[in-house]
Every structure is written in C-alpha cells, then in structure tokens.
Amino acid sequence: MYKVTLAAAATALALGLTGCSEQAQSAKTETQAQSVATEQTKQVQQLTSGIDLENIDTAVRAQDDFYYHINGKWLERTEIPGDKSNYGSFTALYDQSQAALKEVIEAAAKNTKAAAGSDEQKLGAFYSSYMNTEALEEKGIAPLKPYLDKIATVADKAALVSLMADLRIQGGTTPFSWYVNNDAKNSSQYALYVSQSGLGLPDRDYYLKDDEKFSTIRTQYLAYITDMLTKSGIENADQAAKAILALETELATAQWSRVESRDATKSYNKMTVAEANELTGTFDFAQFLKQSKINTEDLVVRQPSYFEKLGGIFEQTDLATWQNYLAFHFVSNYADELSKEFVDRKFAFYSTTLRGVEEQQPRWKKAVDSANSVLGELLGKVYVKDNFPPEAKARMEELVANLIKGFDQAIDGLEWMSAETKVAAKEKLNKFTPKIGYPDKWKDYSALEIKADDLAGNFIRYSEWAYDDMRNKLGKPVDRSEWFMTPQTVNAYYNPVNNEIVFPAAILQPPFFNLEADDAVNYGAIGAVIGHELGHGFDDQGSKYDGDGNLRNWWSEQDLSQFQERGQQLVSQYNEYAPFEDANVNGQLTLGENIGDLGGLTVAYKAYQLSLGGADAPVLDGYTGDQRFFMGWAQIWRRKYRDEELRNRLMTDSHSPSHYRVIGVLPNMPEFYKAFDVKESDEMYIKPEDRVKIW
C-alpha cells in the first residue's frame, strides 16, 4: 500500500515541476499544482522512518562499527532482566506475546463451564496444574516414582533395551534420539532418522576440553547429578554420579562435532534395520524399534561411527550405571514439573552455572512457556485472531514476491556461476513455498488428556501424544501443510526437504515489520529476514537440495568449487571475530547462517530497489532510503548477552552473535560503502578484492 503511495507522490511531484516550468500555464493551474504537491508531500510525511533514533550513538562512527552506531544508546541503557540470559529485539517481542497469552490462559482457567476435552478446558486445566504449587510440594518426587521403580527393577540388558524405548517415548533421555521427517533423497515419503544424543551438558566439548572453565563446569555437573540422585532416593549417589559422568564422557568422545553433524551429505546414511542391528553390536536395535512401535524396513543413521562405538559402550557399561543414568536424566528432564527443591536445583545448574541467569521467571511466565510447548497451536489460534491483521499478511506476501524477484535478478548477475547452474538455481527458487502467519490446518489435540492436578503427567502424556503423532506419519503421504513453529514464535525458518520458508505471525511486528513505516526499513529488516530464509536454500547445506526437497547435486563441478571457495572466504572472515580473548566465532559452524545473512541482505536490497519502481526514495528523519535500509538490518540485531550465555552459544549455536551479524555482512556490500561514504581509513573497510560475494 505504501509503495503505491510513494510512487504516486513521486510521479505527481515530477509532473508538477514540469507543469510549473511551462510559461503558458495560468496562475490557477500553478495553484492547483502546488496544492497537489503539498498534499502528496503530506502523504509521504505520514510514513514514519521506522528508525529508533533514540538508540543511535553518535560517538561511534557508522563507518567504524555500524552495530554500535545504530544500537549503542540502547546497549548502554538496557539491563538484561534477572530472569534472562540475553535480551534483544526477539526477546522483547516474546515478552509482549507472553503477556497477551497469559490473559487467554487465565481466562480459560477461570471458566469452570468449559466442556470436557475442549480447547479451553485443556488450556485452563494445564494452567491450573502449573500454578498449584501447594499440590506440587505435597507430591514431591511421587509423580515420577512409577517410572523410577521400573528403571530400578530392570533385570538385564535385553530388558534394558526395551526400557530405553519406553522412556524415550515418555520424555526420557537415551544415548540416541529418533524422529520422522521427509526422506532427504525421496522427499515425497517419510523416513525414520536416528541421531546421537544422551549428554547432560550442552555439547561434547564440555566433556573433552581441559581448561579450567570446563573443568569447573564438570565438577558442578557432578554435584548436580549427585544431588538429583539423592533427592530421588538413589543409594550411593556420589559413586553413581561419577559413573554417570564417566559414561557420558565416553559418549561425548564417540560423538561427531556439530560441524560434522550439520553436513547433509555425510549425515545421510540409509541402511536396513538388519544393517543397523549389526552396526550397534550387542545393543539389539531391532528389538528397540519393535518396542518403540516402529514398523520400518530401513532408516537413516546420521552418525554411523557413533552408533558403532555405542554398541561397545553399551556392552562394557554395567547394568547399574545404565539404570542410574536413565533415572537421573528422567528426573532432571521433569525437575521443573516437581516440587521446589527440584526446580531450584535444576535452575542453579542449567540456568545460573551454564547461562548466567540470576533469578527464576515468575511462575506465570513459566506456565505460559510450558503451555506453548504442550498446547502451542491451541494458543496460536487465539493469538493470530487478536494479533495478526489481514493487511499484515497481504503486505508480507508482496514483500516475499519482491524478494523472490530480487533473488532471481541476483542469480542473473552472478559472474562466477555458469548458465547451466543458473537455470537449476532458478528452478529451485521458483519452487519455494512461502508460509506466512499461521497454518491453514491446525493440530488436533483431542487425543491428548490434560488434567488440572497432574503437571508432570500432563508433560509425559504430551510426550507420548507427540511421539504417536510423529510415528504415525511413517507410510503415509507427506503433509506439506504442517508447521514446525507456532504462530506466537518470534522466529522464522527454512525447511530444505519441503523447500519452504515460514514466517510466524509474532515476528511480523516492529522492529522487524512495521506497517506504519516506509518501505526502506521494512526491506532492511523483515525483507532481509525473508531473504535470509531464501538464502538458506542456497547456503552450504541447503544448496545440496533441489527444488523438490531432494538431496541431489544440481551444480556443475566448477560452479560448486567456486561456491565452496567463496564460502571458505566467509569462514575465514568470521573466524577472526572474537568476543573474548580465548573464544572466537566458529566460522565453519556458522557458515550456513552467515551465507543466509549475506545473501539475504544482498537480495533484500535488490528487492527494495525494485519496490521503488524507478522513483527516488524520500529522505526521512534526515536519512536516505538506502541508509534506512541498512539501519533497519542493524536495529533488529540489538542484543545483550551474559558472558556464560555467549560462551555457550559460541560452542553450540550455528548463528553468529548479533554484533557480527551486522559488521560481518555490511563490509561485503558495495552499496553500504556508497550509502555511508565508507573509506579505506575506516574500520569497517574491506578491500574490494577481499569482499565476499556469493549471491
């Protein structure tokens, strides 16, 4: 809507100037022209710039650090809330949706006349089960006692395999996980995937690094295991805890790194159940699948060498250690749904020790978060009704269409890509499916029982329900309408096996998407987010999938080599960013996201130029359209981290920290240099021959 208004204004003003230059025009016509020009100027002025001017720090030059220039004052005055490990644009929007959802859930809890099994009854009963802390204190560990007793009485390792299958379905932790998704080499069918798992610390390197920080964390983890076992009534808890940590260290040693595991080609290893059974040695994989109620002839093993080593670990580890391992993790997984002593102890380790969080969230916030986890799409129905106007969806559809056009043009302009590969790239681009706001078909929760007096039971029943929902996909046609985020999630994603980009309603708000703002800031913000998700289809892993979502090489050998070489340039650039003297960004782990950022912003800029239709963008708040475009990108990434959280993310997160998502991308774009007059003496300057251009 605003794009049309701006174009009309520019056209009208141009005609007015032409008219005024003609000597034959009458005074009346001059007055009319001036009136039209004044009215059109007012229309332009009605649009805001969308830039948060109060956040700009003029003490930092845009040419030296654009992130701190745009966000410096916000960073200066913002304190991370005591119940959070980090705080930024994403968190602020989630806080808003959390407050809105609280009203919905509390109203449901007060409605005593809601029909049994209805959406409202489920929401109300769940909230009541979470908020009744007196009942939780009375029960203590009792809700988990039947499961712990079952673990304690397992007779041998053959029975242990079946027990592991049961516990995984019920929300427990086992040395590997499994899930159902499109077969990456036949995306029209579902496949079963199995993947390494089973660690209580965030990453395998927490077990393997020798420096003091990680040694201290392992000592604190050992104390946490001991305390949880003691509270659960396990005898000789200190010795059991040492054996559990030793077991997890063996598992960690056998595991692939995160960089290895994100390789789509290496992690696709299809084999028969008999072959998997042979791989895992004395661990009876066929029995495990049977107990898991899975009927399949084959599966995809993501890390074969891990499963081979797991067979030996399973055989060499005594039964008692496995029992204690399973008991500890089951209690730890459900500690937040038990009495205060369990809640507090888990918070002290996982939130304070590992992430630096100082205080727990208010109970109602935890309840809303948990309702989001268990009954997400029930809440989503209400959320979009009140928070997602139809005009927002229409504007987003226009933005997506322009981004796809921009990407199409970007492909045409790639000097390093052959005509043959360009055709294949465009074929994939034209098959992208955008999903905006909320699903067309909502999940059916009718089979999920929610009780007002059984919090842990609600979570366990949800785990079983979600498992059946996933398992029942096997053998059925792929449901491409399914969403993997709720509408109230402040995020977006690309799904390679469906070749789809998905934008939940909650992210479609300022500073990401502002209906009241001129196009420049929106293209720099949500436009670049759209471009980022499109870019994932062409990042170092997404580019391995074709337009139908199949893992298939559509590149010529020479083009693929060029693409990989440019990616390695980006790896080297990001490896140099170090938030701490002893910890830097992992350019290889973050490569996909960094390609998404660079390609996304590049394509968003092209789309913004297309949206102008040849007209000049207005100057708003003293900034040109190009300047506001880049400012829009920078301001969505404002974020503060606690040191513990940032260190954790450097090891485990495939996204670069927010600072580098700005200063890493912009110096590679010539348009940024022109918009802000960046010169060779400026800190953000990169020599033209060293700038990375991929898309």
Side-chain angles (χ1 to χ4, degrees), residues 411 416-427 538 554-560 695:
I411 292 170
W416 59 268
M417 182 180 281
S418 68
E420 177 190 0
T421 304
K422 284 181 181 179
V423 169
K426 286 191 174 191
E427 181 183 344
F538 299 93
W554 45 268
W555 295 75
S556 74
E557 186 176 341
Q558 183 176 354
D559 290 338
L560 184 58
W695 294 105

Side-chain angles (χ1 to χ4, degrees), residues 435-469:
K435 293 178 178 178
I436 299 168
Y438 53 90
D440 296 325
K441 181 175 69 178
W442 298 98
K443 283 187 181 296
D444 179 8
Y445 292 86
S446 58
L448 175 59
E449 183 182 18
I450 300 293
K451 297 180 179 180
D453 61 351
D454 188 14
L455 179 59
N458 288 336
F459 273 88
I460 293 171
R461 285 187 292 275
Y462 166 72
S463 182
E464 293 170 337
W465 172 86
Y467 174 78
D468 283 340
D469 183 60

Side-chain angles (χ1 to χ4, degrees), residues 109 120-130 450-453 458:
E120 193 167 16
Q121 180 272 325
K122 290 182 194 295
L123 284 172
F126 184 87
Y127 190 70
S128 296
S129 73
Y130 211 102
I450 300 293
K451 297 180 179 180
D453 61 351
N458 288 336

Side-chain angles (χ1 to χ4, degrees), residues 250-278:
E250 285 193 73
L251 296 175
T253 304
Q255 289 189 357
W256 289 20
S257 70
R258 288 178 183 264
V259 170
E260 292 170 318
S261 289
R262 68 177 294 271
D263 188 316
T265 307
K266 290 180 181 178
S267 61
Y268 184 92
N269 304 282
K270 200 164 191 178
M271 58 184 71
T272 65
V273 171
E275 289 170 333
N277 222 31
E278 185 176 343

